[in-house]
Amino acid sequence: MAHILIVEARFYTHLNDLLLEGARAAIEQAGHSHETITVPGALEIPGAIALAAESDRYDAFVGIGVVIRGETYHFEIVAGESARGLMALSMDGLAIGNGILTTENEAQALTRARRDEKDKGGEAAKAALAMLALRERFAR
């Protein structure tokens, strides 16, 4: 049984609740355990995962958050740099599922977050578990 850490940037509470519901359900359905921690924003998710990875308490990680385009360039920075940070960690061998939504508006985010629609929280958890299985396969 694997132990998964979900790191969430809790900015849009109602959207995060949907993403978390999907991620937790996917992890539990696969027979694994999980914990959740909260960070201030999407930019902090990779750093929190890097810190948690040093503890050796977790087998895989899921980043959860929502970034909705606003009127400034900030959206591009947050969307790009949070994804880049997660990719860098995965290239270092961590099993990570990226569940950070980057959307134009709240309607798009709702569609992606709801379990009965796109279930991106569940998909991110499944991606983390798939990467964990792949890492274990190549470690033999």
Side-chain angles (χ1 to χ4, degrees):
M1 178 171 77
H3 191 54
I4 315 302
L5 180 64
I6 302 169
V7 180
E8 68 153 337
R10 193 148 187 90
F11 194 79
Y12 296 99
T13 302
H14 62 296
L15 297 170
N16 273 59
D17 287 345
L18 295 169
L19 290 168
L20 284 169
E21 180 184 326
R24 290 172 175 159
I27 293 166
E28 291 167 7
Q29 185 175 34
H32 303 294
S33 63
H34 58 83
E35 289 179 45
T36 302
I37 62 168
T38 302
V39 295
L43 286 174
E44 288 76 35
I45 292 173
I49 290 174
L51 292 170
E54 293 177 5
S55 75
D56 288 328
R57 293 192 312 224
Y58 307 101
D59 300 296
F61 305 88
V62 180
I64 296 288
V66 180
V67 183
I68 298 176
R69 185 180 300 278
E71 297 176 4
T72 69
Y73 185 68
H74 186 66
F75 171 86
E76 283 81 5
I77 293 169
V78 174
E81 291 301 312
S82 61
R84 185 198 60 75
L86 292 180
M87 181 57 69
L89 292 169
S90 69
M91 297 296 287
D92 286 340
L94 296 183
I96 300 174
N98 183 349
I100 302 173
L101 302 182
T102 54
T103 64
E104 296 293 324
N105 54 54
E106 184 177 342
Q108 289 178 350
L110 279 168
T111 297
R112 285 155 180 76
R114 289 184 182 125
R115 287 184 65 201
D116 62 347
E117 292 187 58
K118 297 202 181 254
D119 190 21
K120 294 300 183 179
E123 284 186 16
K126 289 174 186 175
L129 294 172
M131 293 305 292
L132 176 60
L134 194 59
R135 185 179 72 203
E136 290 172 350
R137 174 182 171 192
F138 290 126
R140 295 179 192 167

